[in-house]
Amino acid sequence: MTYQTGNASSVVDLLSKLATFAQSVDGWVVDKIDTKAKELYLHNENCFWSLRVGSSNSLPTLYIVINNQFNANLSWDNQVGSSSVNGKANFYRYYWGAGTNFHHEPFASYTFLATTQYIHVVVRVDSRRFRHFGFGTLKKDGVYVDGHYAYGTHSTNTNDTSYASYPFTSDMYLYIGSREYRSFASVVRVNEKDYFFGANESGYEGMGAMGIGDATIKRDYKPHPDMLLVEASLSQFNNLITLVPQSIYLHLASKQYQRIGVVPDFYVARIDSVVPGTIREINGEKYYCCAATMFQTVTSNVQDEDNSYDLGYFYRVIE
């Protein structure tokens, strides 16, 4: 794994530094970086992605789209096989891509973690606030085509966590309709079909994907079987942490659930006793530990979408 930390003055600066970083990682190719257009196109052996800086709720926002190839003559969200096109057609009236908004610039720091299989990014916006985005290919369960994903962390300046879009959210029964805050969902591609996290639209009720990226945030309507593992991930007696893999399930038109794999080197657990933004050794390996958004131990009936309570993300680090 390649691991890098640094500072960025803006989302565009972060995108530029991400392009330089990606070029240093075995297996990754930068097809185009255009800081004026605020766009980045890159691929590895398995898939293509395009990233673009825009805005949402007057906040700087980064969007990620899965593609089948790179074509310099096509726009960032209209490449061949674009998940943005598929999302607009099948689920979200306003779907752009997996979205991450940042509330303010510059950033306190960023962390890039990568292998030939993925690139994961953690942005520490300020001393307490974190944002997460990334793209790559699942560690698959079973035999199927694709397994590519893109995810982000998006909020809407409201006081309700149900309006936030955490990486790989597990809520499968959200009403989307014309609500634009659902246009930033994570996505996974399986057998040439895009499954959106939290998808539920007339004619597609329940079809989509789910993970545990928002475990312990809103506990209603969470069918993911690993939810209770996250709840019990921190021992109150000996301060041991049990890391729960970010496992991905599809909810099919048949109303059946199918586990398709895990996001590599991305784990979820409670962080009551962990200082967010630090590297901690667990079971002989190093992990970068951080809050899902902002860490604050309060009861779950106090809703604030930028407060992830005791929910933490753990990224495996190999230096």
Side-chain angles (χ1 to χ4, degrees):
M1 177 188 294
T2 304
Y3 171 80
Q4 182 187 105
T5 61
N7 302 101
S9 60
S10 66
V11 187
V12 175
D13 184 36
L14 180 71
L15 203 66
S16 178
K17 290 178 177 177
L18 179 59
T20 301
F21 170 78
Q23 290 172 321
S24 70
V25 181
D26 289 342
W28 286 92
V29 176
V30 172
D31 300 300
K32 178 182 178 181
I33 172 69
D34 186 338
T35 55
K36 185 176 181 179
K38 304 178 182 180
E39 296 174 353
L40 170 63
Y41 302 79
L42 73 175
H43 71 273
N44 62 7
E45 182 181 1
N46 297 311
C47 191
F48 291 76
W49 291 266
S50 54
L51 294 76
R52 186 178 188 273
V53 180
S55 65
S56 172
N57 300 302
S58 301
L59 300 177
T61 304
L62 179 68
Y63 301 94
I64 309 174
V65 169
I66 302 173
N67 307 305
N68 289 342
Q69 62 186 46
F70 169 67
N71 186 329
N73 297 318
L74 298 177
S75 64
W76 74 278
D77 60 345
N78 195 36
Q79 297 283 306
V80 176
S82 167
S83 59
S84 180
V85 173
N86 295 337
K88 288 185 177 75
N90 296 321
F91 293 96
Y92 301 97
R93 292 177 175 86
Y94 305 99
Y95 185 76
W96 270 32
T100 302
N101 60 0
F102 295 94
H103 282 71
H104 64 76
E105 303 163 314
F107 307 134
S109 66
Y110 67 79
T111 299
F112 298 150
L113 306 103
T115 67
T116 57
Q117 191 173 3
Y118 64 80
I119 294 179
H120 295 163
V121 179
V122 181
V123 177
R124 190 164 194 169
V125 181
D126 50 45
S127 61
R128 297 180 60 229
R129 194 190 313 265
F130 292 83
R131 291 292 183 265
H132 309 261
F133 66 88
F135 42 92
T137 305
L138 296 177
K139 183 179 179 182
K140 301 179 185 180
D141 285 355
V143 179
Y144 57 88
V145 179
D146 303 321
H148 317 311
Y149 61 83
Y151 69 93
T153 312
H154 190 272
S155 60
T156 56
N157 293 333
T158 73
N159 62 352
D160 190 339
T161 56
S162 66
Y163 288 4
S165 177
Y166 291 86
F168 310 109
T169 177
S170 60
D171 200 329
M172 289 298 300
Y173 303 103
L174 303 172
Y175 171 72
I176 299 166
S178 60
R179 301 184 184 183
E180 296 188 32
Y181 55 74
R182 287 302 176 199
S183 62
F184 313 107
S186 304
V187 59
V188 62
R189 178 166 293 177
V190 177
N191 291 332
E192 302 181 350
K193 179 179 176 62
D194 291 333
Y195 293 84
F196 296 87
F197 287 71
N200 181 17
E201 183 67 59
S202 178
Y204 295 90
E205 289 87 349
M207 288 178 60
M210 63 179 183
I212 51 171
D214 60 345
T216 77
I217 301 296
K218 279 277 272 190
R219 293 170 171 83
D220 328 35
Y221 309 111
K222 303 291 188 184
H224 198 291
D226 295 343
M227 295 292 290
L228 292 178
L229 293 178
V230 178
E231 292 279 6
S233 59
L234 181 63
S235 169
Q236 300 298 316
F237 297 100
N238 50 19
N239 201 28
L240 293 177
I241 297 175
T242 301
L243 301 183
V244 183
Q246 181 69 260
S247 55
I248 305 301
Y249 285 74
L250 298 184
H251 191 227
L252 306 173
S254 63
K255 309 301 182 184
Q256 294 178 316
Y257 293 104
Q258 179 179 347
R259 189 177 191 268
I260 59 171
V262 300
V263 182
D265 297 333
F266 185 148
Y267 299 85
V268 182
R270 291 172 54 189
I271 56 169
D272 304 57
S273 64
V274 178
V275 178
T278 59
I279 293 179
R280 178 163 179 164
E281 185 171 309
I282 302 173
N283 296 328
E285 293 190 293
K286 291 183 178 179
Y287 294 87
Y288 182 60
C289 314
C290 35
T293 55
M294 287 200 298
F295 170 67
Q296 183 178 348
T297 51
V298 297
T299 58
S300 60
N301 62 353
V302 179
Q303 292 186 349
D304 176 357
E305 67 164 342
D306 223 11
N307 172 17
S308 48
Y309 314 119
D310 57 4
L311 178 64
Y313 297 156
F314 295 74
Y315 300 86
R316 192 167 69 98
V317 176
I318 300 177
E319 300 175 294

